[in-house]
Amino acid sequence: MKTIDNNFVNFDIIGDIHGHSNDLKKLLNALGYSNKKGYYQHPERKVLFIGDYIDRGINIIEVLDIVKKMVDNGEAIALMGNHEYNAICYNTLNANGDYLREHNPKNFNQHAVTMAAFMPVPNMYKMYIEWFKTLPLFYENDSFRAVHACWDNTYIDYLRTRLDENNCLTTSIIEESATEGTDLNKAVEVTLKGKEAKMPEGVTFIDKDRILRTEFRTKWWENPHKMTYSSISVHSVKGMPDTPFVVEDDNYYLETEIPVFFGHYWMEQKAGTRPHIQRENVCCVDFSVAKGDGILACYRYSGESKLNSTQLVFVK
């Protein structure tokens, strides 16, 4: 497998794809990539995929084929998303012979479209589960950082001591990573699924998967001491009070740090408007392609220390 030099910065950073291969091909074509050798490439640029290639959309195998071939030929870096991690755990037994991710209705439903896609080709499914294990949990060079859901320096520094030299989970620690209460489990959960906080008393909501929630996703890039419950919530929640947020975790991404890119958060892009970055050094590239009104988005990064919303490219 060809590798990309760690000093390279001309990356097109693409958000969560979730089986939407037609959107991915349209975006790559719009960005100037061609598929003349059996894989997409650009004369001057590379792609950094932010994770979540599977589930929800129906063209999962084609998405994985595109992404893996680009990675294998040195045209892309692919990070692990929480859906790839969940798939690994759903298909891995612990020492007691139980699956690391329980085979309950909720977890089955989340992964059902992927399993259905691979039903005629079970060996290919096994191959991709093994490939998911080779995906790094985060990427960093001197100019920028990328992660699927949350860059918390404390957890990232801890993961550096536990992952292999490519920032990947090893077979020997996967079970520990899925064992609730371990330091590794907490670090992996935050990195791949983000930070959550308890809802104020009496407030709950139903999420996009029809699950009742008593916790909500927080903006880990904002100073929590300056936020209210309403303003620190990634998404608008009916009944969320505009009262001072009770801080449980002091860590947040400082304005002085290098740019960071992530996905995961199902950002909305209203009709007639352009997607936008969160801050000059913070950019989410997930704009809900798996929703009917969502888009597949990408940030065209070229080493700049201050990000700009004009560099966000998208297809619908």
Side-chain angles (χ1 to χ4, degrees), residues 272-288:
T273 66
R274 286 188 54 82
H276 60 83
I277 63 174
Q278 283 60 50
R279 212 168 63 200
E280 285 186 336
N281 68 333
V282 177
C283 177
C284 180
V285 289
D286 176 23
F287 285 88
S288 311

Side-chain angles (χ1 to χ4, degrees), residues 78-91:
L79 300 184
M80 183 185 290
N82 62 300
H83 282 254
E84 287 73 53
Y85 178 72
N86 288 346
I88 292 169
C89 294
Y90 196 85
N91 289 277

